[in-house]
Amino acid sequence: MIEKVAKQILESKYMTALTGAGISAESGIPTFRGEDGLWKKFKAEELATPSAFRENPELVWEWYKWRMEIVFNAKPNLAHNAFAELEKMGILKMLITQNVDDLHEKAGSKKVLHLHGSLRILRCTACKKRFEIDKPPIEKLPKCECGALLRPGVVWFGEEIPSEILREAIKHASMSDLMIVVGTSAVVQPAASLPLIVKKNKGLIIEINPEETPLTNIADISLRLKAGEAMDKLVKLIQEL
Ligand code: APR
């Protein structure tokens, strides 16, 4: 089966990828909805919403600094490296990720679209100024030069994905004749609808996930495998073909 996927990838004209938290699980970054997922231990509405930040910015900042510590010290795994290789080979045209970690970039991917923002970015709640960071802020409540509170540059529940980012993602999905979907539970919109655009245009959907998801029965092939193992095997097969 994986040989068939390798062949389809090689024959593709415009391959894109959609990744979720599962691709970073093997790098030690917790996912959201698995057994040991973040939303089992923490309440998303208390930590990842605009109202949570308004009511208790210290708590939200404490949680994000904890996540930044994990993410900024994490290393890309075989799956991130495989996608960077496929981009270098000119096969992967765009990687769309729901993740706010920077492991795709750390692995060498250049064409990455962050639907939900990035923990590497802080932005001002007043003047909208943005700051790139590579370690968690030390202050309890990080402030902008203008004096207002800074917040993580991520998209919270109840917030819209910036329209230019979403437009770009839809454009690449519409051009795809193959989309490989790795490590996402495919329940959060609008990300989960991107593969449906590919399907509508008669493109191929390849899913890689140890568990079934709502995408599984519309995928042309669904590999019940972990990202690292599957992507590493795929790149090696493609390099041999
Ligand atoms: N390899 C591949 N997939 C894996 C692995 C692995 N090693 N480990 C877990 N998975 C799969 C799980 O089976 C699950 O389907 O990764 C998926 C992770 O799902 P979620 O935790 O829901 O993460 P994601 O789909 O990225 O969540 C989407 O929800 O909370 C918001 O904004 C947040 O971007 C996030 C969005």
Side-chain angles (χ1 to χ4, degrees):
M1 187 65 107
I2 200 158
E3 291 75 9
K4 186 173 170 211
V5 173
K7 247 168 80 6
Q8 286 172 331
I9 289 175
L10 256 186
E11 285 156 10
S12 68
K13 301 270 172 304
Y14 202 91
M15 170 182 162
T16 56
L18 173 66
T19 65
I23 197 170
S24 298
E26 293 160 76
S27 297
I29 298 179
T31 61
F32 294 96
R33 293 174 183 81
E35 313 69 68
D36 53 356
L38 290 171
W39 299 147
K40 291 273 180 306
K41 298 192 184 84
F42 301 97
K43 286 199 174 20
E45 56 280 5
E46 282 173 11
L47 294 163
T49 62
S51 51
F53 190 68
R54 262 195 308 281
E55 274 139 44
N56 195 342
E58 288 88 349
L59 174 70
V60 174
W61 259 115
E62 196 182 326
W63 189 63
Y64 272 93
K65 285 160 75 163
W66 170 72
R67 286 184 64 199
M68 286 172 178
E69 199 57 47
I70 298 169
V71 164
F72 294 164
N73 293 308
K75 300 261 172 302
N77 62 55
L78 288 175
H80 299 104
N81 298 340
F83 275 119
E85 186 55 34
L86 286 170
E87 179 187 315
K88 273 193 209 94
M89 293 165 80
I91 295 174
L92 180 69
K93 309 295 185 195
M94 178 52 75
L95 192 155
I96 303 165
T97 186
Q98 300 170 85
N99 299 340
V100 292
D101 66 52
D102 59 344
L103 295 187
H104 284 303
E105 291 86 350
K106 276 185 183 164
S109 289
K110 303 263 177 294
K111 297 177 184 165
V112 181
L113 206 53
H114 282 269
L115 290 177
H116 298 159
S118 168
L119 292 177
R120 296 289 303 272
I121 304 283
L122 303 187
R123 65 181 168 83
C124 177
T125 52
C127 73
K128 306 293 174 221
K129 196 163 163 34
R130 298 162 75 86
F131 302 84
E132 180 140 357
I133 56 170
D134 56 8
K135 52 185 174 310
I138 34 167
E139 312 86 343
K140 249 178 150 9
L141 280 177
K143 293 264 174 45
C144 175
E145 295 141 2
C146 78
L149 258 183
L150 289 175
R151 57 165 280 180
V154 298
V155 177
W156 280 327
F157 290 105
E159 293 184 321
E160 299 291 308
I161 294 175
S163 50
E164 68 282 0
I165 302 265
L166 188 53
R167 231 190 340 270
E168 183 74 3
I170 291 168
K171 183 190 86 177
H172 288 287
S174 315
M175 292 162 71
S176 305
D177 60 346
L178 187 150
M179 178 180 271
I180 189 161
V181 183
V182 183
T184 182
S185 56
V187 294
V188 171
Q189 294 300 347
S193 298
L194 292 172
L196 307 181
I197 296 175
V198 179
K199 195 79 202 155
K200 203 165 53 57
N201 296 347
K202 310 260 178 297
L204 291 173
I205 300 292
I206 311 286
E207 179 182 45
I208 296 177
N209 194 321
E211 290 168 26
E212 293 206 354
T213 73
L215 199 63
T216 301
N217 50 30
I218 73 146
D220 296 84
I221 292 181
S222 187
L223 302 174
R224 233 10 97 253
L225 293 170
K226 287 189 166 190
E229 170 197 353
M231 288 310 301
D232 191 49
K233 257 197 206 129
L234 272 175
V235 161
K236 289 198 167 73
L237 281 170
I238 289 165
Q239 285 164 338
E240 281 157 23
L241 289 177

